[in-house]
Amino acid sequence: MASRATIAQLRQLGLDSFALDQMSTADKQAALDSASARLDSALATQFTLPIVAPYPLDIIECECVLASWTLLMVRGYNAPTGVDENIKERYLMWEAYLDKVSKGELVPNVVDSGDGGTYGSTGPSVITATQRGYSERGVSVSNPPRPMTGPFSSD
């Protein structure tokens, strides 16, 4: 699977230009492709892959941050100075995001290639049982009282 994010987006949403300029285009693309595969692993638990373009920005940013972490690990993590701490924090945040997606706790606004169409933008589906003979609308004014009938009062 090719990456969803571009190298230009990696520069905007991932690592700064100084760090990226020291890496080859092939390395950047390989990191994006790897991040896309990791993202697909989480998405595949809830959606039919591939997801359909246009991709939401959270998916693009997640891919860029995962790729940035991979590139940072290849270059070397600079822990003593704290310069790379921001990338680490963002990486951990997106890892938590992917964990929630894979568990179905968080639903990104994506369109998958299955029959279901758009997910995440319409909210949850609600399925209820048949009416149980009572209503919040009360009863009629007849004697003896009886439940109101009409549209939406029963199955």
Side-chain angles (χ1 to χ4, degrees), residues 5 127 130:
I127 300 171
T130 59

Side-chain angles (χ1 to χ4, degrees), residues 84-112:
D84 296 335
E85 192 64 28
N86 178 25
I87 299 296
K88 179 181 179 182
E89 291 300 318
R90 291 174 63 214
Y91 168 77
L92 293 173
M93 178 192 78
W94 285 109
E95 280 292 313
Y97 171 90
L98 292 178
D99 185 52
K100 288 180 180 182
V101 168
S102 66
K103 292 177 180 175
E105 296 172 4
L106 191 145
V107 182
N109 187 17
V110 300
V111 178
D112 72 6

Side-chain angles (χ1 to χ4, degrees), residues 66-146:
L66 294 177
S68 296
W69 183 251
T70 299
L71 291 168
L72 196 59
M73 293 299 97
V74 170
R75 183 201 76 186
Y77 182 71
N78 193 359
T81 65
V83 175
D84 296 335
E85 192 64 28
N86 178 25
I87 299 296
K88 179 181 179 182
E89 291 300 318
R90 291 174 63 214
Y91 168 77
L92 293 173
M93 178 192 78
W94 285 109
E95 280 292 313
Y97 171 90
L98 292 178
D99 185 52
K100 288 180 180 182
V101 168
S102 66
K103 292 177 180 175
E105 296 172 4
L106 191 145
V107 182
N109 187 17
V110 300
V111 178
D112 72 6
S113 55
D115 295 338
T118 302
Y119 292 89
S121 62
T122 59
S125 297
V126 178
I127 300 171
T128 62
T130 59
Q131 190 170 5
R132 291 172 178 82
Y134 53 87
S135 169
E136 290 182 30
R137 293 181 284 164
V139 294
S140 67
V141 291
S142 65
N143 192 9
R146 65 180 194 280

Side-chain angles (χ1 to χ4, degrees), residues 11-62:
R11 187 176 301 276
Q12 294 170 327
L13 301 170
L15 285 173
D16 65 9
S17 296
F18 178 75
L20 284 175
D21 289 344
Q22 299 174 20
M23 300 169 192
S24 71
T25 301
D27 288 344
K28 295 175 214 174
Q29 190 59 56
L32 284 170
D33 293 344
S34 173
S36 183
R38 285 181 61 199
L39 189 56
D40 282 350
S41 294
L43 292 172
T45 63
Q46 305 297 322
F47 302 100
T48 303
L49 297 180
I51 61 173
V52 180
Y55 309 116
L57 189 56
D58 58 341
I59 297 296
I60 298 295
E61 184 176 356
C62 180

